[in-house]
Amino acid sequence: MKQRPAPPSPSDAASALDGLAHALASLEDPADIRAFLEDLCTPAELEAMGDRWRVVPELLQGLPYREIHDRTQVSVTTIGRVARSLERGAGGYRAAARRLGLSNDSH
């Protein structure tokens, strides 16, 4: 049976995530970013991330979860997860939404 290596240490994982963040930040053209994401992620991962991002503006408008689901067909569970991230997450959704003019709040 094939043995899996030990998971990376927290510092190695943080370093890898930092490297990924820097790689994304280095790309300015949305077409380059899309190509990078298509190389990096599986189709299912891209769909999941797209679904999450698609509900951010709707949540920022204060729409009810069921209405968002009816509009987007994104699961209510996913909508709830995004809403929790908007409220208690690292602030990435809100920062991106502000930069794109989707939100004017200062949370």
Side-chain angles (χ1 to χ4, degrees):
M1 174 188 307
K2 183 177 177 180
Q3 293 242 319
R4 296 199 179 266
S9 72
S11 65
D12 286 346
S15 178
L17 187 55
D18 286 344
L20 179 59
H22 285 285
L24 282 166
S26 75
L27 301 170
E28 295 179 14
D29 182 355
D32 290 340
I33 295 168
R34 181 184 175 123
F36 182 82
L37 290 171
E38 287 177 351
D39 287 346
L40 180 69
C41 302
T42 66
E45 290 166 335
L46 290 170
E47 181 180 5
M49 289 188 294
D51 285 350
R52 291 177 197 139
W53 180 246
R54 194 162 33 140
V55 303
V56 168
E58 312 247 348
L59 286 164
L60 291 172
Q61 291 175 27
L63 296 177
Y65 292 10
R66 279 281 163 210
E67 185 175 341
I68 295 170
H69 167 73
D70 291 343
R71 288 179 175 203
T72 65
Q73 299 305 300
V74 173
S75 76
V76 173
T77 301
T78 295
I79 295 165
R81 285 187 190 126
V82 173
R84 279 191 301 282
S85 290
L86 279 167
E87 290 301 314
R88 297 186 294 268
Y93 284 138
R94 285 191 186 276
R98 270 194 307 276
R99 288 198 177 206
L100 293 171
L102 303 174
S103 170
N104 57 6
D105 72 7
S106 58
H107 256 83

